[in-house]
Amino acid sequence: HIPLREHTAASVRAALDELEVLGLLTPAQRQAIYAPAIAVFFQSEVGKRLLAATRVERELAFNCRLPASKLKLEETEENVLLQGVIDCCFLEDGAWVLLDYKTDYAEEGEASPVALRHAPQLDLYELALKETTGIGVKERYVVLLRSGECVRV
């Protein structure tokens, strides 16, 4: 992970270089990451809130059983297994703020429609986070890593 602190493009590049040296990123993965956009995210309002949080979870794996009807799969109370990994969430004022990182490209002014395509996935993450922690979600964001934009969905 990139350290959770204020960043510039140069400090993001240095952190990415270190991850590559440690073998956590391949050279191709390292080259695909646009450091200035990551720095923009950390300088954003949401990024600053993340840095100020007292509890942050990154790559939070979950497995939970939920009624199929709750997932809008079928009109039955039969349980289904929902599993996945939440990119990042942090506690703020007793509730979760959920972040989902995406590498989608969005033309200027098109960030919201691009982010909204991911709303169904965030619906599932929200259900899982509430089910596994007992704590509700107050806000959900898609973070577009190519631009650093955060879109509330």
Side-chain angles (χ1 to χ4, degrees):
H1 295 116
I2 292 177
L4 290 179
R5 61 178 177 82
E6 290 184 22
H7 279 285
T8 63
S11 68
V12 170
R13 280 191 287 276
L16 293 171
D17 290 344
E18 179 66 20
L19 292 172
E20 184 180 346
V21 168
L22 293 171
L24 299 173
L25 287 177
T26 67
Q29 290 170 325
R30 166 63 189 89
Q31 291 305 312
I33 300 171
Y34 185 57
I38 306 298
V40 166
F41 165 71
F42 279 111
Q43 295 162 8
S44 73
E45 181 253 339
V46 174
K48 289 176 183 176
R49 290 167 55 199
L50 167 65
L51 296 178
T54 56
R55 181 175 173 192
V56 176
E57 299 290 341
R58 298 166 88 179
E59 296 184 26
L60 179 63
F62 63 85
N63 287 295
C64 60
R65 293 189 183 280
L66 295 168
S69 61
K70 204 169 195 179
L71 300 175
K72 301 175 186 160
L73 297 174
E74 293 183 30
E75 292 300 320
T76 176
E77 290 306 302
E78 185 175 327
N79 284 335
V80 295
L81 178 65
L82 177 63
Q83 61 185 31
V85 178
I86 295 170
D87 289 335
C88 184
C89 55
F90 61 92
L91 275 179
E92 183 179 73
D93 301 325
W96 291 110
V97 176
L98 178 59
L99 306 178
D100 193 33
Y101 304 124
K102 297 296 182 192
T103 57
D104 299 30
Y105 176 76
E107 295 283 342
E108 190 171 328
E110 294 297 315
S112 288
V114 168
L116 286 172
R117 290 196 306 245
H118 301 287
Q121 181 180 0
L122 283 138
D123 291 343
L124 296 175
Y125 286 176
E126 181 175 349
L127 284 170
L129 198 52
K130 170 80 168 136
E131 180 71 21
T132 58
T133 67
I135 301 170
V137 173
K138 71 176 197 165
E139 295 173 27
R140 311 171 332 167
Y141 293 89
V142 170
V143 180
L144 298 172
L145 295 176
R146 291 182 183 227
S147 66
E149 291 179 83
C150 301
V151 180
R152 189 171 180 176
V153 293

